[in-house]
Amino acid sequence: MDITVIIDYAPMLLQGLLHTLWLALLAGLTALGFATLLTWVTLCCRYPALKTLVRGYTQFILGLPLLVLIYVLFFILPEYGITLSSPLVGISALTLYYGPYLAQVLGAAFESIPKGQFEACSALGISRWQTFRHVALKQALPVAIPPVTGLLIGLLKDTALLSVVSVEEFMYAAKQAISQSYAPLEIYLAVALCYWLVTLAIDSAAGTLERRLSRHRQA
């Protein structure tokens, strides 16, 4: 065990970690936006054909490995004249893959709210937007945060798959460091520790947010 190897390659690994966090942040935000759209179509859309399309897409994604989707975007789309940069392939793949998973969580959270509350708001003349903001969102968020956090942590860890299409993220930097240092034990140990610390921080922040929202809901 040679700690100096980790110190020597710390700048390279740190740069890769920052790229991973940036990719995960962008992909997480776009996946949540996509999930919100899918949830709206599933719960509120009046067009059965569109609902059927969303359900079919969701079922298809649930049975598809993420790596296959990455390969399709990176290798197959250029044959049809659509060429995306490696980072854009990564963000797109993570968004398309995690959107349906997040949509299922959001949909379940909103459906857990008793329908009588929506009927009461409608009878009182409260608009749909006010009902969503002051009634539905307050109750759905505490329910949705734990599973959403788990999915976003999974998204962060799955950025490691993007190294196969030369996205310069954390694992890509780790492979470069290993090819130069011939010290896989030290490098992979540092990578594992960094992933653990980041996921621990995300989980801790989500837990704090959930507790605050739950207290606010009870109040």
Side-chain angles (χ1 to χ4, degrees):
M1 188 68 170
D2 188 358
I3 300 299
T4 59
V5 172
I6 299 176
I7 297 174
D8 291 341
Y9 288 91
M12 180 186 295
L13 295 175
L14 178 60
Q15 185 177 12
L17 177 60
L18 291 176
H19 284 169
T20 284
L21 294 177
W22 178 243
L23 284 169
L25 176 62
L26 290 179
L29 291 174
T30 54
L32 283 171
F34 186 40
T36 302
L37 176 62
L38 295 177
T39 303
W40 178 84
V41 171
T42 302
L43 299 180
C44 304
C45 183
R46 298 178 181 177
Y47 300 101
L50 195 54
K51 288 187 175 183
T52 301
L53 181 63
V54 167
R55 282 196 296 268
Y57 172 73
T58 299
Q59 292 300 320
F60 176 72
I61 290 296
L62 293 181
L64 187 71
L66 175 58
L67 191 58
V68 173
L69 184 57
I70 294 171
Y71 283 152
V72 168
L73 295 179
F74 191 77
F75 294 110
I76 305 301
L77 285 188
E79 296 183 5
Y80 296 91
I82 304 175
T83 302
L84 305 176
S85 65
S86 294
L88 187 55
V89 165
I91 294 171
S92 300
L94 292 170
T95 298
L96 294 173
Y97 188 79
Y98 275 93
Y101 285 94
L102 290 166
Q104 288 197 324
V105 169
L106 295 177
F110 282 110
E111 287 182 339
S112 68
I113 302 172
K115 295 190 185 320
Q117 296 189 24
F118 296 101
E119 295 170 357
C121 290
S122 178
L124 292 170
I126 301 174
S127 68
R128 286 188 176 184
W129 167 246
Q130 289 176 323
T131 301
F132 173 79
R133 181 181 175 186
H134 297 293
V135 178
L137 199 58
K138 254 189 192 179
Q139 299 180 67
L141 276 180
V143 175
I145 283 177
V148 165
T149 301
L151 287 170
L152 292 179
I153 288 175
L155 183 150
L156 170 68
K157 292 188 288 188
D158 276 345
T159 57
L161 295 175
L162 304 182
S163 63
V164 300
V165 290
S166 300
V167 176
E168 296 181 1
E169 45 73 61
F170 200 19
M171 284 302 299
Y172 183 89
K175 291 177 182 178
Q176 294 292 103
I178 290 171
S179 67
Q180 296 175 25
S181 66
Y182 300 101
L185 175 62
E186 290 84 352
I187 298 299
Y188 282 136
L189 183 61
V191 168
L193 181 61
C194 288
Y195 271 121
W196 177 71
L197 290 174
V198 171
T199 55
L200 185 65
I202 294 173
D203 189 59
S204 176
T208 301
L209 179 60
E210 181 190 2
R211 287 190 293 273
R212 288 183 178 178
L213 288 174
S214 296
R215 285 199 298 268
H216 181 67
R217 176 184 176 183
Q218 292 170 358

